[in-house]
Amino acid sequence: MAFRNTAISLVMAIGVGVTSIGAFATGSITDVVTIGTGGVTGVYYPTGGAICRLVNKSRNEHGIRCSTESTAGSVANLKLIEKQNLDFGIAQSDWLHHAYNGSSKFSMVGANRDLRVVFAIHSEPFTVVARADSGIKTIDDLKGKRVNIGVEGSGQRGTMEALMKAKGWNKKTFGLATELKASEQASALCGNEIDAMIYMIGHPSGAIKEATTSCDSVLVDVSGPAIDKLVKDNGYYQIQTIPGGMYRGNDQDVKSFGVESVLVSSVDTSEEVVYQLVKSVFENFDTFRKLHPAFANLNKEEMVLATGTEPLHPGALKYFKEAGFISIVE
């Protein structure tokens, strides 16, 4: 994973919040928390469910009840956290960066310096799937084609717009630019309503599996000078590879770029709640990794290290220090 930090940057980012962490009394709270996820066919939705499953499993010990909410995705989750309509949300690392700094789609509302990272989850390559009969082999072949660019508020739409800007494209570049929900695009692809769909998602993915098994479709190469520059200019992106053999008809590795998915909260969520949530996941880690195929290769150290430059929540930091992970980045 990318975005590896140093302990110094973590402590400086958190500042005086580190010194305010006190001893947590187990079972001293009764709280209901909600995690914003994404569309039901994506990885965010089952990720939120997996986290809540482990939190609720030990509810008698800490008094927290965890629930999930299906949302439009990263951008929507970050905005809902700011409005205090969510306690936690899963977001792409690029949109967390923009929300924290008040850039891109968050330039109008300004920087939200109350956002806090809980832990990183899995890598998310920018994934393009095209009908095999469309003639689309590389990202440049999307020009003039019917492409689903995603709904407003989703991470996939935001990253697609960043790629379009890097390539000098706009909606008119495509023969048709649709704004279907993530759950609708595989059926639209195989129904010959679109030529290609895009997704920011961890692999293997049920949505990509649906698209590649329901009709002949291929994963598309996303590389070239414009992509290299996009990654070089933005530290939250990295070059990634989608391994071959995960999906029918796609035996070769495919080049792309991508981000990390990150569990995010804010200073409004109590230190004890965050501490207990992190503890529930990390102390039941073997179970967590079995709850979705995209988690199979996760390891705790990378989930601590890949959190980016935004500050950790003090509750997460407390658990990481107790468990010995903070020494990894010292």
Side-chain angles (χ1 to χ4, degrees), residues 147-204:
V147 181
N148 183 54
I149 61 175
V151 298
E152 284 286 351
S154 67
Q156 69 184 93
R157 173 64 174 270
T159 308
M160 181 62 174
E161 289 176 348
L163 181 145
M164 289 165 61
K165 183 178 180 180
K167 300 285 287 183
W169 295 352
N170 56 42
K171 288 184 180 180
K172 294 181 180 179
T173 300
F174 311 113
L176 176 67
T178 62
E179 299 179 333
L180 301 171
K181 296 178 181 179
S183 59
E184 300 171 332
Q185 57 183 1
S187 59
L189 184 78
C190 291
N192 201 21
E193 298 172 23
I194 57 175
D195 298 308
M197 57 182 255
I198 60 100
Y199 218 159
M200 293 293 295
I201 198 163
H203 293 278

Side-chain angles (χ1 to χ4, degrees), residues 23-31 59-64 272 276:
F24 295 161
T26 302
S28 65
I29 56 173
T30 301
D31 215 335
R59 182 182 175 190
N60 290 339
E61 299 174 15
H62 49 60
I64 303 169
E272 188 170 356
Q276 295 293 348

Side-chain angles (χ1 to χ4, degrees), residues 22-275:
F24 295 161
T26 302
S28 65
I29 56 173
T30 301
D31 215 335
V32 178
V33 297
T34 303
I35 301 176
T37 59
V40 295
T41 62
V43 177
Y44 284 8
Y45 187 75
T47 297
I51 294 169
C52 281
R53 177 175 174 177
L54 297 178
V55 172
N56 293 334
K57 181 180 178 181
S58 53
R59 182 182 175 190
N60 290 339
E61 299 174 15
H62 49 60
I64 303 169
R65 182 166 66 84
C66 182
S67 64
T68 60
E69 181 177 326
S70 177
T71 69
S74 296
V75 176
N77 288 339
L78 292 163
K79 290 180 177 179
L80 289 167
I81 289 173
E82 182 174 17
K83 295 176 181 177
Q84 299 185 28
N85 291 330
L86 288 174
D87 305 286
F88 299 88
I90 304 172
Q92 295 174 194
S93 53
D94 51 348
W95 294 112
L96 170 60
H97 170 88
H98 290 309
Y100 188 77
N101 291 286
S103 52
S104 187
K105 289 181 178 293
F106 297 89
S107 59
M108 296 297 291
V109 297
N112 182 3
R113 296 289 181 169
D114 289 340
L115 291 170
R116 295 292 182 269
V117 176
V118 181
F119 52 73
I121 311 172
H122 57 274
S123 298
E124 297 188 354
F126 182 84
T127 305
V128 180
V129 185
R131 291 177 57 86
D133 59 8
S134 68
I136 299 172
K137 302 297 182 183
T138 71
I139 189 69
D140 288 327
D141 295 332
L142 292 180
K143 291 184 288 186
K145 301 296 185 178
R146 301 169 298 168
V147 181
N148 183 54
I149 61 175
V151 298
E152 284 286 351
S154 67
Q156 69 184 93
R157 173 64 174 270
T159 308
M160 181 62 174
E161 289 176 348
L163 181 145
M164 289 165 61
K165 183 178 180 180
K167 300 285 287 183
W169 295 352
N170 56 42
K171 288 184 180 180
K172 294 181 180 179
T173 300
F174 311 113
L176 176 67
T178 62
E179 299 179 333
L180 301 171
K181 296 178 181 179
S183 59
E184 300 171 332
Q185 57 183 1
S187 59
L189 184 78
C190 291
N192 201 21
E193 298 172 23
I194 57 175
D195 298 308
M197 57 182 255
I198 60 100
Y199 218 159
M200 293 293 295
I201 198 163
H203 293 278
S205 155
I208 307 303
K209 185 175 181 179
E210 178 186 353
T212 52
T213 55
S214 299
C215 59
D216 292 334
S217 54
V218 294
L219 273 64
V220 176
D221 179 275
V222 184
S223 62
I227 303 302
D228 292 340
K229 186 176 187 304
L230 182 64
V231 172
K232 182 179 179 181
D233 292 347
N234 300 280
Y236 41 77
Y237 291 140
Q238 69 228 232
I239 298 297
Q240 295 185 356
T241 299
I242 304 170
M246 286 187 174
Y247 306 107
R248 184 181 74 89
N250 291 270
D251 296 330
Q252 303 300 316
D253 291 354
V254 175
K255 296 178 182 178
S256 190
F257 73 105
V259 296
E260 303 290 337
S261 61
V262 183
L263 184 64
V264 183
S265 190
S266 78
V267 296
D268 298 312
T269 303
S270 78
E271 296 173 9
E272 188 170 356
V273 166
V274 175
Y275 173 86

